[in-house]
Amino acid sequence: MATFRLQGSRVLAVEMSGDAVKAKNGSMVAYDGQMAFKKMTGGGEGIRGMVTRRLTGEQMTVMEVKGHGTCWFADRATEINLVQLRGDKLFVEAGNLLCTDAGLRTGMHFTGVRGASQGNGLFTTTVEGSGQAAIMSDGPAVVLRVSRQYPLTVDPGAYIAHQGDLRQNLQSGVTFRTFMGEGGGEAFQIRFEGDGLVYVQPSERNTIAGDV
């Protein structure tokens, strides 16, 4: 299995000994040793995944990198965060996924209204299995714990990913303070309940919900 390590907070170094990883197309910035690069269709999900993403407006272009040596990845100087999966599933916005072990399975999960409220497509990307994944954030990501006693409410524009046994509900964020011009301005919020982790970034992407 490939070894992931961060160099600083914005460059990912992956050491491979005949291993392979899947990475965002064009994210390689340097490598040593012998490496082979191959573009994968549909985010590595085959023809069905490619067609579904086109129909739903999702954009995810992935390349497979395989060889012996070290390959360095980065994307627009964004912060990189390592996530360890141990047979569980990670839900992550396609634009925030940088690299995964090739053995991890990627797929799609229907988000419906939640995805639309975030300004994304109707599907989000899933990563499942045992291994490491690298996700990106605009600024240092914050990892927040959700427990059954303490649910969590998140601004859709700051949401990056989540993992664990979590349920999501989209709820209205309209409050008295919003009408007075003192609220955060988001018409919708995501409420997480259960047991798991939620990754948020300290910068909001534009959402369809917009300002109230």
Side-chain angles (χ1 to χ4, degrees), residues 111 139 143 156:
T111 59
V143 185

Side-chain angles (χ1 to χ4, degrees), residues 2-14:
T3 301
F4 288 43
R5 58 184 172 84
L6 293 178
Q7 291 197 206
S9 61
R10 299 180 180 181
V11 178
L12 171 69
V14 181

Side-chain angles (χ1 to χ4, degrees), residues 8 27 49 58 64 81 91 140 143 155 160 163 181 185 193 196 202:
S27 62
E58 288 289 297
E64 181 186 70
N81 314 271
F91 297 81
V143 185
D155 185 324
I160 302 172
Q163 64 184 126
E193 298 178 337

Side-chain angles (χ1 to χ4, degrees), residues 3-4 21 40 48 56 65 78 95 102 107 111 127 131 133 139 143 174 176 181 202:
T3 301
F4 288 43
V21 297
M40 305 178 72
R48 181 179 179 183
T56 58
V65 184
T78 53
T111 59
V127 183
V143 185
V174 179
F176 175 76

Side-chain angles (χ1 to χ4, degrees), residues 91-153:
F91 297 81
V92 57
E93 299 304 324
N96 293 98
L97 183 60
L98 177 64
C99 185
T100 71
D101 280 315
L104 291 174
R105 300 180 300 279
T106 56
M108 290 174 294
H109 176 73
F110 181 70
T111 59
V113 177
R114 179 183 72 74
S117 74
Q118 293 173 238
N120 299 314
L122 296 178
F123 287 80
T124 194
T125 298
T126 60
V127 183
E128 186 175 8
S130 296
Q132 283 192 295
I135 61 177
M136 299 178 290
S137 58
D138 186 3
V142 178
V143 185
L144 302 174
R145 164 66 66 179
V146 181
S147 68
R148 302 191 187 283
Q149 294 80 16
Y150 297 98
L152 180 71
T153 302

